Amino acid sequence: MKAVVQDTYGSADVLEVRDIDPPVVGDEEVRLRVHAASAGIGDWHVMTGRPYLIRLFGFGLRRPRARVRGIDVAGTVEEVGGNVTRFRPGDEVFGTCDGSFAEYACARQDRITSRPANLSAEQAAAVPGSGVAALQALRDQGRLQAGQKVLVIGAGGGVGTFAVQLAKAFGAQVTGVCGTSKADLVRSLGADDVIDYTQDDFADGTRRYDLILDTAGNRPLSLLRRALTPEGTLVIVGAEGGGRWLQGSDRQLRAMLLSPFLRQKLRGLMSVQREKDLRYLAELIEAGELTPVVGRTYPLSGVPDAMRYLEEGHARGKVVITLRTL
């Protein structure tokens, strides 16, 4: 099968499309014929091995432990393991796995769910990582309540486009922060207000929010706190910038250390893939309350270009790798 293989850490130039053996299905797994996979900034971090801290958490110290990149996936079940009871060959599913930038990939049965009938494979592949992160940030960490005022920073990106829609579905009043080119998109997702960060400062003291989701950049905690209500909640979803060892993740650590001494609640997010959350998102999609935003698509051979685009830091919605033509 063809797959995007990486033998060493580095820039997008280390990625190569090669012919390798298909993965062998485990007892708790299904083997998928991959139709689409999405690429996110997390894939870029694993590709580069930065921040260096991630190498200590199972990704490999000197070279990547897993040679095939890609996590989010949508495809057709072709083979099931001996202990799999929820799926059978022919089922259309989406979720997460190891090595989705390939013609075939194996996924655990508790990390996939049935693909909604009103979604293409490309749209479904855009959902798992970013959709679950947005859901857990709002519901679990932010404990969002109907009627609250929510600020989504990075509202036109992968997590942000889901967060705006989910916050509206939960009954919140939503303001999105984005660049000029994404303002119309964010409005179309249901945002009540849009702040163009190139023109206005959301932390100028004139507006306060019950919940802030920071999905982009590396803004100082002091600035973010100025835009919070006295007992508001800040949830930091990832971080960019900073040094090679921590690359902004120290901001989450500082937020959690500072939070016990404040009335405001400062939290970081380490999202966990759960099948029940995928099902919940699928139900919202089927009900027409949530629609994935696919900004760009690339063929399997275009994965290096997709990674370069993500590195620029201004991706619109989700970046999807399509394998339908293989």
Side-chain angles (χ1 to χ4, degrees), residues 81-104:
N83 296 333
V84 174
T85 58
R86 296 179 50 245
F87 301 100
R88 60 185 180 181
D91 288 346
E92 298 291 337
V93 300
F94 74 108
T96 59
C97 66
D98 289 330
S100 60
F101 296 166
E103 291 182 271
Y104 296 93

Side-chain angles (χ1 to χ4, degrees), residues 262-278:
L262 303 172
R263 292 170 62 195
Q264 294 171 329
K265 295 169 282 292
L266 313 182
R267 296 170 175 163
L269 177 74
M270 291 292 290
S271 61
V272 179
Q273 286 295 314
R274 296 188 293 247
E275 191 270 340
K276 66 178 182 179
D277 286 341
L278 285 173

